[in-house]
Amino acid sequence: MKKMFFISGAVLIAAGSANAQNIINGNPFYSPAAGRFYNVLTPIELNTKFEQFYMRDEFGYGITDALTVSLSTSGSYDSSDNPQFGKWAWNDLELGLDWSILTQGEKQADVYASVKQIYNTKDGLETVAYNWTAGARVGRVTDTWTLAGIVELDYQKDDLPHREHDAWAMTVGMQGQYVIDSAWNLVGGVLFDFDLFDEYYDGERLRIELGANYNISPTKYVGLLMSKDVVHGFEDAPMSFKFQFGADF
């Protein structure tokens, strides 16, 4: 396996206000209130090649108003002639923590960390690698807009007996949102991913994200996000589309 498939954990930013942070809407500064759960389901993510289809589900629980634990997993269907991990695949399982270390007026800062177990299901279930992530987001949340700067560091190591390989990667960028009204909001971001050591991830990517979310209620939303790596052409990096549904309960 020359190169692991990796998607950095970029998160959507959506509507919300400084006085309504527990409304689930895709905002990275969202956290469930103590004792409440949330679920963000991505029933389908696909690109313009229509060869690979992904599904992801994330559950979280508010330990306190500032500390959240999450568990997520993803699967895929690969219709290409040579699927890397099998035509139908269970891709990973990830455990994470998110801690709001600053909530002062409109200013907010979070730190987060996670560990992901990555699978190969082409010839049965095999753990091929572990990925550790640590990151921070710092920004401002107002009644009409949100802006967040993101820095994320990833370390990945093989879990294969015939390979001893590890690598580092990093993501930096900005994400933001504009509130149209109590239901609709626009989202966007610019994220740069790059390898710090060895091309074990996806190399350099400059991702432009645009999307919209609709709040069915303060506890439910649906969204659509479009993303394109503008460093590479459509043959190597086609545009991707992601549909999401989130709920707080």
Side-chain angles (χ1 to χ4, degrees):
M1 181 174 54
K2 295 181 180 179
K3 195 172 183 181
M4 295 290 298
F5 175 76
F6 176 77
I7 302 177
S8 69
V11 185
L12 299 180
I13 295 180
S17 72
N19 298 319
Q21 294 176 5
N22 293 120
I23 296 177
I24 186 168
N25 47 30
N27 195 313
F29 291 125
Y30 158 81
S31 60
R36 291 188 65 86
F37 293 88
Y38 77 86
N39 177 225
V40 177
L41 172 66
T42 304
I44 187 168
E45 178 181 347
L46 71 161
N47 59 41
T48 50
K49 282 188 174 181
F50 297 102
E51 288 184 345
Q52 295 174 323
F53 305 86
Y54 300 91
M55 178 179 180
R56 186 169 190 84
D57 204 7
E58 176 182 339
F59 283 92
Y61 175 74
I63 299 173
T64 69
D65 287 343
L67 185 63
T68 302
V69 61
S70 63
L71 183 68
S72 62
T73 189
S74 71
S76 63
Y77 173 74
D78 190 337
S79 63
S80 64
D81 294 334
N82 187 27
Q84 185 176 9
F85 295 122
K87 195 160 285 289
W88 292 95
W90 180 23
N91 296 338
D92 53 59
L93 185 66
E94 183 173 11
L95 178 66
L97 282 173
D98 195 299
W99 182 26
S100 297
I101 59 174
L102 173 68
T103 305
Q104 184 178 7
E106 296 178 347
K107 300 175 183 177
Q108 185 150 342
D110 299 348
V111 293
Y112 56 93
S114 66
V115 58
K116 180 190 295 183
Q117 194 174 33
I118 302 171
Y119 307 124
N120 179 7
T121 57
K122 195 169 186 177
D123 299 307
L125 181 61
E126 179 184 26
T127 302
V128 295
Y130 286 89
N131 193 99
W132 289 265
T133 299
R137 59 180 77 90
V138 179
R140 187 175 178 182
V141 182
T142 76
D143 290 339
T144 56
W145 58 270
T146 295
L147 186 65
I150 297 172
V151 178
E152 187 172 293
L153 184 67
D154 287 279
Y155 171 71
Q156 193 169 109
K157 182 173 178 59
D158 270 307
D159 190 44
L160 299 172
H162 58 280
R163 284 181 67 91
E164 287 292 335
H165 192 81
D166 58 359
W168 292 84
M170 195 170 188
T171 297
V172 295
M174 302 289 292
Q175 291 181 315
Q177 62 88 26
Y178 177 74
V179 177
I180 299 174
D181 53 34
S182 60
W184 289 97
N185 56 88
L186 304 177
V187 297
V190 178
L191 298 168
F192 182 58
D193 310 321
F194 56 97
D195 295 325
L196 294 175
F197 171 73
D198 199 39
E199 291 190 2
Y200 196 63
Y201 293 89
D202 283 338
E204 291 187 354
R205 301 189 304 170
L206 178 60
R207 289 179 289 132
I208 307 296
E209 299 177 343
L210 293 172
N213 290 333
Y214 175 76
N215 268 75
I216 303 169
S217 74
T219 59
K220 299 179 183 67
Y221 82 96
V222 292
L224 169 65
L225 180 75
M226 297 175 287
S227 178
K228 176 67 177 76
D229 170 15
V230 298
V231 172
H232 303 92
F234 276 88
E235 183 62 30
D236 296 323
M239 182 179 293
S240 66
F241 300 87
K242 181 188 297 185
F243 300 89
Q244 284 191 321
F245 173 76
D248 180 301
F249 53 94

